[in-house]
Amino acid sequence: MTKTFGGVTAVDGASVQFQEGKVNGLIGPNGSGKTTFFNCVTGMIKPDSGSVLYRDKTITRQSPDRIARAGIGRSFQLCRVFPRMTVMENLLVAVRHTSIGRQLRSARDEEELERARGWLRRVGIDHLEHAEARNLSYGQQKLLELAGVLMGEPDTIMLDEPAGGVNPALIGRISTLVRELNAEGKTFIIVEHNMEMVMSLCDHVVVFDRGRPIAEGAPEIIQRDPRVLEAYLGV
């Protein structure tokens, strides 16, 4: 895959394979192309060349909603929630495909409401069901965004810096939830700068530098790789 912006090559002929059923990490210095890569995979932007295969099917250049329905859910580096909607309304909007007003008027299905409450309990913010999203802390908004992703019932979950701006207690909660969901069969691909979280949570790690992977393997191997130490850790 290749993606350029003007004269800057953000993703430079990158070829990557992630492991199904595992927690995969995607790390690298700032500006190494990780989020651009995420955006190309999930249809937020179109790659200049290359293809994306998901379970042997090409999803390159499909719209984000089609990719989501194919089984890939994602969060964003900066939280994307509807600030003036309640926590519950945010979850109901996440899984409906009509206009927002119509979504909220028709959101009376008890089974769907209970499913939303179940995910709120899983992420630990069920007590905030009726609160407006703008009144949540940043960490709570991250949990709300994750619950919205899970409402789509994806098989593969791509998280862009889930620990960014989050206190240690919430990082621990997110890590525990990832482990539980992975044990239930969910595949994860996580972009993260918190190396303690990456090395303790991930089964497989891919390292980006200057728009392409320079190393991949188990965390204990990545920590000793001289290319990683030079590019990422500055050793």
Side-chain angles (χ1 to χ4, degrees), residues 58-194:
T58 300
I59 60 171
T60 320
R61 296 179 177 83
Q62 289 187 7
S63 62
D65 61 303
R66 288 190 65 185
I67 291 172
R69 288 196 294 273
I72 300 176
R74 71 161 295 179
S75 70
F76 291 85
Q77 190 172 342
L78 299 176
C79 276
R80 295 193 178 187
V81 298
F82 294 100
R84 294 183 179 275
M85 291 185 182
T86 68
V87 165
M88 176 58 73
E89 288 169 347
N90 267 270
L91 292 198
L92 296 176
V93 165
V95 293
R96 294 175 181 263
H97 307 295
T98 56
S99 68
I100 289 177
R102 184 177 175 186
Q103 288 164 20
L104 298 181
R105 287 194 300 272
S106 63
R108 296 293 182 269
D109 184 87
E110 190 60 34
E111 183 177 340
E112 192 164 271
L113 288 169
E114 282 306 307
R115 191 164 65 87
R117 291 188 180 111
W119 284 121
L120 291 177
R121 284 192 292 272
R122 286 291 297 270
V123 302
I125 57 171
D126 51 306
H127 61 293
L128 298 170
E129 174 183 336
H130 302 293
E132 289 190 353
R134 61 179 174 169
N135 294 326
L136 273 58
S137 70
Y138 187 70
Q140 289 169 337
Q141 289 184 11
K142 286 245 181 182
L143 293 172
L144 172 58
E145 185 183 38
L146 178 55
V149 171
L150 294 168
M151 278 291 287
E153 300 183 350
D155 299 312
T156 299
I157 301 170
M158 302 176 70
L159 303 179
D160 196 352
E161 297 193 26
V166 175
N167 67 51
L170 283 183
I171 291 174
R173 182 182 299 175
I174 292 170
S175 296
T176 297
L177 184 60
V178 168
R179 291 190 187 96
E180 291 174 353
L181 291 169
N182 178 241
E184 294 167 16
K186 303 289 187 184
T187 298
F188 282 86
I189 306 172
I190 303 175
V191 166
E192 187 51 67
H193 287 291
N194 185 319

